Amino acid sequence: MKAAILTIGDEILIGQITDTNSGWLARKMNDIGAEVVRMMSVADDIADIHRGFDQAFELADIVLVTGGLGPTKDDITKMAMSEYFDDELKFHQPSYDLIERMFNKRGIPLRDSHRVQCFLPSKATLIENNMGTAQGIWMEYKGKALLSMPGIPYEMKAIMKTGGGLEKIRTTFSSKAIAHRTILTAGEGETTIASLIESVESNLPDHIKLAFLPSLGRVRLRLSGLSDNQTKLEQEITLEVNKINELIPDLIFGYGNETLESAVGTLLKSKNLTIGTCESCTGGFLSHIISSVPGASAYYDGSIVSYSYTLKEKLLNVSSQTLNQEGAVSEATVREMVEGGLLQLNTDIVVSISGIAGPSGGTVEKPVGTIWLAVGNSFTTQTSKLQLGKNREKNIEYTAYYALNMVRKFVLHHY
Amino acid sequence: MKAAILTIGDEILIGQITDTNSGWLARKMNDIGAEVVRMMSVADDIADIHRGFDQAFELADIVLVTGGLGPTKDDITKMAMSEYFDDELKFHQPSYDLIERMFNKRGIPLRDSHRVQCFLPSKATLIENNMGTAQGIWMEYKGKALLSMPGIPYEMKAIMKTGGGLEKIRTTFSSKAIAHRTILTAGEGETTIASLIESVESNLPDHIKLAFLPSLGRVRLRLSGLSDNQTKLEQEITLEVNKINELIPDLIFGYGNETLESAVGTLLKSKNLTIGTCESCTGGFLSHIISSVPGASAYYDGSIVSYSYTLKEKLLNVSSQTLNQEGAVSEATVREMVEGGLLQLNTDIVVSISGIAGPSGGTVEKPVGTIWLAVGNSFTTQTSKLQLGKNREKNIEYTAYYALNMVRKFVLHHY
């Protein structure tokens, strides 16, 4: 099966928005064994959309379209589709009822534009969007198909996943057996991991591929196979997963769609431990990712973000002597932040961070990207120092995930 | 002048890399008055590259190509270009000398692959890349032109800027005047804003377009125009901006590339105010976005995330009576959180949030998505209640931006 991905929207062509939908869709299409042969961004213009449809259908069996399905006037995708497939837009009562129910629940009045939004191509199959008012529109034509979705990423993903869009594409076009397994690692970079598991990678069977998917502080290893026999394929992939597991057991924190934050959460819960954070340069981002896991209240009590010197002293009892002599970015400070945090937050474990996130604020001795971390309980504290680059956003994210991995190793070692 | 942007590389089509080059190039093309009419990503395959060239030249005067110019095997762009323009690849001694000088300076030995890299289309004009070994390749054909550059972002940018690629494009093609203006709003959704400014939108001149770009809790309004006269166009767009400004003054927090968090930061700094946050269900996300702005320490001191009942009592002095009688998700609780926060954080303003982020944890009286917020100083406190959906991630993000906008309005009203 071949796929094309078409993005509609002037905002992409003027560079105002970076298109992340296409990359996400490409990965999902890969997962079901489809080859993405083209990505395209076209203007909010019917003739240009039609030209894009032509070019996409010339190459692909399934065309995934994002953008241009909202309730405002610049959203002309539906009209372009209706014309292209020689169809007409008709008012679709069930869609209107759905929006009405959704809005009544929240006490928001419906507008005329929502009525307009319910005019849909009469031959379309609708795919549910449980995150918004514009449903996915599926149209088939000469053995090929087009699925149009809104451009808001979480709505598009809802249509593909919970709405069943991806499954519909798979069952419409493919019969081959597909298997995927993702190994989740933290603590080493892509290059190091590649050299550690080189013996596995170079001996993989032809129909099984390994991809490295790095993000800040974490690397995912994705094994994917395509074959005629599902059971055999699953066994083959399991074999490779086990080999990798033997080579880098300490780096692996989970499998599949788990995240480092959920894996650490599960670990804490299984040991009946609670955690709190005391952050400075990460400004609450570590607290945010820990509490982003549903049910985090079982092991997460709270945090103190002490951005200023004053609050480090007042809320965390960091001594003014330490702050004046060693500085806020020092091993002594993060140790005292853990001690103060254990008293204030009353948790079993506290993790603390203090550093210079950038882009400015560094000195010769402590350049931008210098970051101290500590993890401790009432018996022992471990510290670590990072020397990162000058990008504020990247430093904050990398540091928070590094801290989470320190917590993971601390718990595994001490409990 | 019309432009198309073509990205070559399998790594983009499988979703392993997000293409940020195209957005950057689009913004630069806009700056010189070019209209980007198409973006495309094609595979590392000569036939597919040729198809991409055809489709791009059908629409555009200038085609910008990135990717596929490095020293490895899959880099076949040069061959595809040579064939497409009916040219031949010839060894280009000056290019080789350039690489040799560059490498000698760093003491790196040259490899055969660098020799291969110096085979270039004979009719090409080369554009200097002072950040790497692959120069930009400019070819003209029937009054149109193609500029091929490596995919590594800083090399591509070097060719466009210091190498003079952008200037060459500008001087080669006579260009139409283009103007853009973005109005940033918070506080109302896309549909409401559309109806509030309907009189402006429906009376826009034909050559000026309005687009709505929504994200959680914020909507950007983008006006863009195309004309022969830059000065007149800028005036026309300014007129429309002023009309919109008159209709929705309270909703507008800024213009252009600003963010709500940076706008609020600038506002606080201009009034010499400091802020702290006391969060429950947002778990530090509000603190994170406030502190994500470089230089936030000028107005941001710190936060307390009191996720548990215990910490609400211990750190923020919320009374156990309030927690037991009204519950943690109540107006009384967020009011007391502000009072406790003002004492603990010692800031001029405190914003507090307590709610049920979901996906579970709701009751009949307080379903998932019920969220209370308060903003206050030592004189007065304002509260607000939200009733959102069940998506934890969305609820957290929406609430944090809603809170930021409450802060903005609070400061504008009281200071």
Side-chain angles (χ1 to χ4, degrees), chain A residues 78-135:
Chain A
K78 272 185 325 188
M79 278 170 267
M81 281 176 74
S82 171
E83 222 178 305
Y84 191 81
F85 292 107
D86 205 11
D87 197 2
E88 55 193 352
L89 295 175
K90 277 196 178 161
F91 183 73
H92 190 249
Q93 190 65 42
S95 293
Y96 191 78
D97 295 344
L98 202 78
I99 297 175
E100 202 169 32
R101 271 201 304 280
M102 201 185 281
F103 276 46
N104 279 347
K105 223 189 273 173
R106 301 191 206 161
I108 306 171
L110 264 79
R111 290 173 190 287
D112 280 353
S113 56
H114 292 117
R115 203 167 178 89
V116 173
Q117 211 177 4
C118 296
F119 279 82
L120 296 165
S122 71
K123 297 174 197 160
T125 305
L126 298 176
I127 300 189
E128 196 198 339
N129 170 6
N130 63 5
M131 301 289 274
T133 54
Q135 296 170 83

Side-chain angles (χ1 to χ4, degrees), chain B residues 52-279:
Chain B
F53 287 174
D54 279 343
Q55 293 169 357
F57 276 122
E58 194 190 320
L59 301 166
D61 308 301
I62 169 77
V63 179
L64 295 166
V65 180
T66 63
L69 281 188
T72 53
K73 278 187 220 164
D74 55 338
D75 296 327
I76 49 171
T77 307
K78 274 186 323 188
M79 278 171 269
M81 279 175 76
S82 171
E83 222 179 302
Y84 191 80
F85 292 106
D86 204 10
D87 196 3
E88 54 192 355
L89 295 174
K90 276 193 178 162
F91 183 72
H92 190 249
Q93 189 66 42
S95 291
Y96 191 77
D97 295 345
L98 200 82
I99 297 176
E100 203 169 32
R101 272 201 304 280
M102 199 186 280
F103 276 46
N104 280 346
K105 223 188 276 176
R106 301 190 209 160
I108 306 170
L110 264 79
R111 283 167 296 170
D112 279 354
S113 59
H114 293 116
R115 205 172 175 82
V116 172
Q117 213 178 358
C118 296
F119 279 83
L120 296 165
S122 71
K123 298 174 197 160
T125 303
L126 299 177
I127 300 188
E128 196 197 342
N129 170 5
N130 64 4
M131 300 290 274
T133 55
Q135 296 170 82
I137 303 173
W138 174 279
M139 299 196 79
E140 292 187 14
Y141 178 70
K142 293 188 182 170
K144 298 193 169 194
L146 184 148
L147 172 58
S148 172
M149 297 171 280
I152 300 172
Y154 60 81
E155 296 198 25
M156 179 278 287
K157 290 174 190 174
I159 290 170
M160 288 295 280
K161 292 194 289 187
T162 50
L166 192 65
E167 189 54 22
K168 187 168 176 64
I169 295 165
R170 202 186 65 77
T171 50
T172 306
F173 299 95
S174 65
S175 45
K176 270 227 168 189
I178 283 193
H180 295 281
R181 211 73 59 79
T182 306
I183 302 170
L184 310 168
T185 77
E188 289 294 346
E190 182 181 0
T191 324
T192 305
I193 294 174
S195 73
L196 289 171
I197 62 169
E198 215 271 322
S199 62
V200 178
E201 191 178 10
S202 51
N203 292 309
L204 281 178
D206 278 349
H207 63 292
I208 296 181
K209 283 186 179 184
L210 173 65
F212 291 79
L213 310 169
S215 48
L216 283 170
R218 293 144 292 163
V219 178
R220 284 175 300 149
L221 312 178
R222 189 170 51 80
L223 283 157
S224 49
L226 196 66
S227 143
D228 291 319
N229 184 327
Q230 184 82 43
T231 317
K232 195 174 159 230
L233 182 61
E234 298 278 1
Q235 286 165 351
E236 288 171 325
I237 289 194
T238 302
L239 196 73
E240 302 301 333
V241 169
N242 293 343
K243 283 187 210 162
I244 292 173
N245 222 328
E246 268 171 40
L247 291 172
I248 51 167
D250 296 342
L251 302 181
I252 298 172
F253 67 80
Y255 300 89
N257 287 322
E258 216 175 350
T259 60
L260 185 53
E261 47 271 38
S262 69
V264 169
T266 307
L267 181 65
L268 289 167
K269 215 156 72 179
S270 75
K271 309 262 183 190
N272 236 326
L273 294 168
T274 57
I275 191 165
T277 80
C278 296
E279 303 176 57

Side-chain angles (χ1 to χ4, degrees), chain A residues 375-395:
Chain A
V375 180
N377 56 20
S378 39
F379 304 104
T380 184
T381 295
Q382 283 175 354
T383 62
S384 192
K385 186 192 179 186
L386 294 173
Q387 194 59 62
L388 305 175
K390 290 195 174 176
N391 185 291
R392 184 179 185 85
E393 212 177 320
K394 268 185 169 175
N395 288 349

